[in-house]
Amino acid sequence: MNQKRYVVGLGEVLWDVLPEGKKLGGAPANFAYHAGQFLGSDNTIAVSALGNDKLGDETIEALKEHGLNDLLPRVPYPTGTVQVQLDEQGIPTYDIKENVAWDNIPFDEDIAAIARNCRAVCFGSLAQRNVVSRETIHKFLDATPADCVKIFDINLRQQFYTKEIIKESLLRCNILKINDEELVLIGRMFGYPGLDIENKCWLILGKYNLDMLVLTCGTNGSYVFTPGQMSFQATPKVEVADTVGAGDSFTGSFCAAILSGKPVTEAHQLAVEVSAFVCTQNGAMPEMKPELLAKMK
């Protein structure tokens, strides 16, 4: 019997504490949820850690309500929370609490087994701010099969990143997802600030031998660079409720489309439409419109 192969969101699982109340969040769970809407929830899983607390119990319940598989060992640290403030355009700012459960994800045998049967994994820089989770993420990536799609959704937050963390992640991934503001920061950090955005992307793609580089530029559209090809899509104009989780929905649906054999341009178009829809909804995990799900068939 063939072993099931998972699409994995790996890293921080936490609660976004928004003005209207708390909502389950964290890029890995958001990614896994959206990939699962297109690939089937049985094929996706969120991997992180929770505290032995009420919020940890609520996390398990919330993931069940969203039909999301999880592997969340309980550790002696509080379950993660983020205070989220939204400006008049619905753009979030974050205050991310430190020394929490997802900073201390153990690389146990259950997580190692998921790694060995991983079809695709999305990870970021935030969950690598603490050495325990950073080492677990590295071990996980190193244990994946040779054909595993490894997406580094760079996700720079506050001061929680270093040049070394970013470089190690670039060396371990085959797809980089980055936004225009992050690209400016990376350009300064790695010493090529003078290049325009396209040349920066081509340089990173070649230097780290990536299969793809996905660049999102908010209302100014998005790009997908592959060796010898570039796809550009304009950002649809929609009425924004909030943008929390929109980037993760882009990554999750793009990954699902690529795994389903869609050409890059079709995968890119779907991801743009999905993230635009998520911007019209409150919270990071809305139920997808049937007409968007139908595009995967």
Side-chain angles (χ1 to χ4, degrees):
M1 191 173 96
N2 289 334
Q3 177 72 39
K4 178 190 285 287
R5 293 193 66 188
Y6 285 102
V7 175
V8 179
L10 173 62
E12 67 276 12
V13 168
L14 45 81
W15 288 86
D16 290 318
V17 184
L18 295 142
E20 71 271 18
K22 70 179 191 298
K23 287 190 170 70
L24 186 66
N30 295 341
F31 165 83
Y33 172 76
H34 287 291
Q37 290 199 91
F38 289 96
L39 296 172
S41 58
D42 285 351
N43 302 307
T44 55
I45 188 166
V47 176
S48 186
L50 297 174
N52 289 299
D53 51 21
K54 184 170 178 286
L55 214 48
D57 296 338
E58 289 181 30
T59 307
I60 300 291
E61 287 304 310
L63 290 173
K64 277 183 187 161
E65 284 173 21
H66 285 98
L68 186 56
N69 292 313
D70 62 77
L71 181 53
L72 303 168
R74 308 297 278 259
V75 294
Y77 298 88
T79 297
T81 56
V82 178
Q83 296 291 326
V84 183
Q85 300 293 330
L86 302 174
D87 68 13
E88 289 175 3
Q89 283 76 46
I91 307 297
T93 56
Y94 305 92
D95 176 20
I96 305 166
K97 303 306 177 189
E98 296 188 62
N99 204 26
V100 293
W102 59 261
D103 286 314
N104 296 278
I105 305 167
F107 190 70
D108 59 21
E109 181 46 43
D110 289 339
I111 290 177
I114 295 291
R116 290 192 296 269
N117 295 289
C118 184
R119 189 179 178 203
V121 56
C122 185
F123 68 102
S125 55
L126 178 57
Q128 298 184 63
R129 67 181 181 177
N130 185 50
V131 65
V132 176
S133 288
R134 183 160 69 247
E135 288 183 354
T136 291
I137 288 168
H138 287 180
K139 287 174 184 173
F140 187 103
L141 295 169
D142 294 347
T144 57
D147 64 347
C148 180
V149 174
K150 291 176 278 196
I151 304 167
F152 178 36
D153 188 350
I154 197 164
N155 217 4
L156 301 180
R157 293 281 184 262
Q158 293 172 216
Q159 75 282 12
F160 300 129
Y161 57 90
T162 65
K163 184 176 179 179
E164 182 185 5
I165 285 171
I166 292 164
K167 187 174 180 181
E168 281 294 320
S169 299
L170 286 168
L171 291 168
R172 282 179 162 87
C173 75
N174 41 42
I175 298 177
L176 171 64
K177 163 117 181 308
I178 192 167
N179 67 34
D180 49 351
E181 292 177 0
E182 292 164 342
L183 185 65
V184 170
L185 287 169
I186 297 305
R188 288 185 192 138
M189 190 180 282
F190 284 84
Y192 29 84
L195 298 175
D196 64 27
I197 61 169
E198 288 187 25
N199 281 320
K200 275 196 185 92
C201 292
W202 287 121
L203 180 65
I204 294 167
L205 185 81
K207 185 176 175 64
Y208 292 97
N209 197 28
L210 302 175
D211 295 332
M212 297 182 205
L213 188 154
V214 180
L215 173 68
T216 58
C217 303
T219 57
N220 295 317
S222 57
Y223 302 78
V224 180
F225 296 84
T226 59
Q229 183 187 0
M230 183 188 79
S231 168
F232 173 79
Q233 293 283 344
T235 301
K237 288 183 169 57
V238 295
E239 191 169 324
V240 175
D242 71 55
T243 63
V244 177
D248 304 322
S249 72
F250 184 114
T251 315
S253 53
F254 181 79
C255 176
I258 292 296
L259 292 176
S260 299
K262 298 289 186 190
V264 167
T265 49
E266 280 186 38
H268 188 189
Q269 176 67 43
L270 176 69
V272 165
E273 292 178 19
V274 166
S275 60
F277 167 71
V278 170
C279 285
T280 69
Q281 308 295 301
N282 285 311
M285 295 186 186
E287 190 171 337
M288 197 52 54
K289 285 199 300 188
E291 53 263 43
L292 288 174
L293 294 176
K295 293 195 174 190
M296 194 66 83
K297 293 171 182 171

